[in-house]
Structure formats: structure tokens, C-alpha cells
Amino acid sequence: MFISIIAQNKKKHFQSSIFFLKIQVLSKEIRRETFYVFLAFSIVSVLFISIINKHQLHLILNKFHSPFFDIFFKYVTYFGDGVMFGFVAILFLFFKKKVAYAIMVSGILTLFVVHLFKKVFFLGILRPAGFFGEENLHIVEGVKMAYTNSFPSGHTATAFAIFTVVCFYFSKSKPQYLWITLAILKGISRVYLSQHYWIDIFVGSLLGILIGFLSMSFFFKIKKIH
């Protein structure tokens, strides 16, 4: 029995080592430019959320608006809808089924993790419109406002989960930094539209990247991504 327990522990340790090795290899598929863009976003985010209260920060950011950005962010925000998982998965089904499966898994994981955070761990946290009232914020016309379950941003997690999986597939593609920029803009749109606080989108981005890594590690071998 004792020998059996040792064998099981060794097996678990081996499986854990394999998983982290996969993550290490997958991470090398992210281009340097992409890393720098996300690093800049992370530094700004950490400074924002560590120095300024999230409510005060939102009021400061909410003052910066224009007719152009009203329209721009109103439509950019749709890139984080859950339906995007299905759309991207269907596209990949035609030429790379494993990536399509990874997208599907990332969609399920994102739904589960975000739901767990919003409805269990951080249930009822007021969003900006719920805390301040719409009359005290710049609200973009035609945007349906949400008032509770603010943390974290599911739209941002979705955008970053998809971005991460796509980056692994197009590992040699230089425009990776454009995709990460689009994912970041998607997150910022949630703040601009007063659907979330900045900390919501930052944590959402981290969750999305982690889910993307995890999803791809299920379907791809260590030595080969394509």
C-alpha cells in the first residue's frame, strides 16, 4: 500500500511537470512585441489600482470622452461577447480542429470561472452605474447598462482567452501585437462604457490569458504547436 501511494505521488508529480513544461513551451510562442504591449498595460493597471481608489479612478477616466470614442468603444466591446467563442471555433473547424476544440474549452472554462467569481466569491458587487447612478456618469446612448456583479470583467476574459489561443496558432505572425492591442481596447471599452472598473478588466485579462494557456495545453504536444 505504501509503495502504491509513492507511485501515485510520483505519477502526479510527473503529470504536473509535464503540464508546466507545456506552459513554458507554449509561452515561447508569444512574440516579444506582444509581451511588451501587455507589460505596458499591466504596469499602468498596477499603478492605477494601487494608487487610486477604484471609484475615484473611474470618475477620473469617465471625464475623458468624445463622440468618436462613444461610437468606437460602443462597437469594440462586442469583440468580448461570449458568442465570439463559437464564431472563432467554427472558423478553425475548417482548417485546424484542435484549435477549434481549444477555443471551445476556453469558452467553457471562461464561463465557469467568471460565473464562479461573479455569482459566488464576489456576488453583488456594484458596477459603476449601480454605485454612482447613471445621472452622474457619461453614458453612451444605446448601451444597455448593468448594475451588479462587477468583478471580474467577463468580456475582457473572453477577449484575452481567444487572443491567447489565436496567438499560439499564429505563433510566427508579427501582428500578434495588434491582436493584444485589440484585446486591451476591448477591456478599456468596458471601463469607457461604465460597465466595469479598471481592476475588473485587469483581473479579467489575467484570467483570460491563464485560461488560454490551459486550454491549448490540453490539445498540443510539448515539442510542436502546429
Side-chain angles (χ1 to χ4, degrees):
M1 182 177 178
F2 180 71
I3 296 176
S4 176
I5 293 175
I6 293 177
Q8 289 177 359
N9 288 336
K10 286 185 177 180
K11 183 179 180 181
K12 289 180 180 179
H13 177 71
F14 176 74
Q15 291 174 339
S16 177
S17 299
I18 291 295
F19 171 74
F20 284 110
L21 183 56
K22 280 187 177 183
I23 294 298
Q24 184 179 6
V25 173
L26 286 169
S27 66
K28 292 180 180 179
E29 298 299 309
I30 302 298
R31 297 184 65 85
R32 186 177 301 173
E33 300 93 332
T34 305
F35 172 77
Y36 288 151
V37 172
F38 185 71
L39 178 62
F41 170 70
S42 298
I43 291 173
V44 170
S45 297
V46 171
L47 288 175
F48 274 174
I49 64 182
S50 60
I51 296 175
I52 310 174
N53 175 276
K54 73 173 186 178
H55 298 115
Q56 182 182 358
L57 174 61
H58 189 79
L59 289 178
I60 293 172
L61 296 175
N62 190 247
K63 294 179 181 178
F64 296 93
H65 55 81
S66 70
F68 169 78
F69 284 120
D70 283 0
I71 297 173
F72 178 76
F73 285 121
K74 179 179 180 180
Y75 292 102
V76 165
T77 199
Y78 288 117
F79 285 104
D81 283 354
V83 70
M84 288 299 296
F85 282 116
F87 177 74
V88 177
I90 290 173
L91 288 179
F92 274 104
L93 275 175
F94 290 103
F95 57 92
K96 194 67 176 180
K97 289 185 178 181
K98 279 190 176 182
V99 178
Y101 298 153
I103 290 288
M104 294 176 191
V105 169
S106 65
I108 294 171
L109 288 176
T110 301
L111 178 64
F112 174 76
V113 172
V114 171
H115 184 82
L116 191 65
F117 272 68
K118 287 179 178 289
K119 300 299 178 66
V120 179
F121 298 137
F122 302 99
L123 177 65
I125 293 181
L126 293 177
R127 298 183 187 228
F131 184 84
F132 295 108
E134 292 185 34
E135 66 278 7
N136 297 311
L137 296 170
H138 171 71
I139 301 297
V140 176
E141 185 178 355
V143 175
K144 184 179 179 180
M145 303 304 296
Y147 302 97
T148 60
N149 299 328
S150 177
F151 185 85
S153 170
H155 280 71
T156 307
T158 295
F160 275 87
I162 294 174
F163 148 78
T164 303
V165 173
V166 171
C167 271
F168 287 150
Y169 180 70
F170 295 104
S171 60
K172 296 180 181 180
S173 176
K174 291 184 178 179
Q176 279 191 10
Y177 66 91
L178 294 177
W179 303 336
I180 182 63
T181 300
L182 181 60
I184 291 172
L185 287 173
K186 169 66 202 68
I188 293 175
S189 76
R190 305 306 289 167
V191 176
Y192 187 91
L193 299 175
S194 285
Q195 300 282 25
H196 285 284
Y197 298 101
W198 195 278
I199 190 173
D200 301 341
I201 68 167
F202 181 52
V203 173
S205 71
L206 297 178
L207 288 175
I209 290 174
L210 179 60
I211 289 170
F213 270 80
L214 184 62
S215 300
M216 286 295 280
S217 71
F218 290 150
F219 296 99
F220 290 89
K221 297 178 180 179
I222 295 177
K223 294 182 180 180
K224 191 176 181 181
I225 299 299
H226 299 306

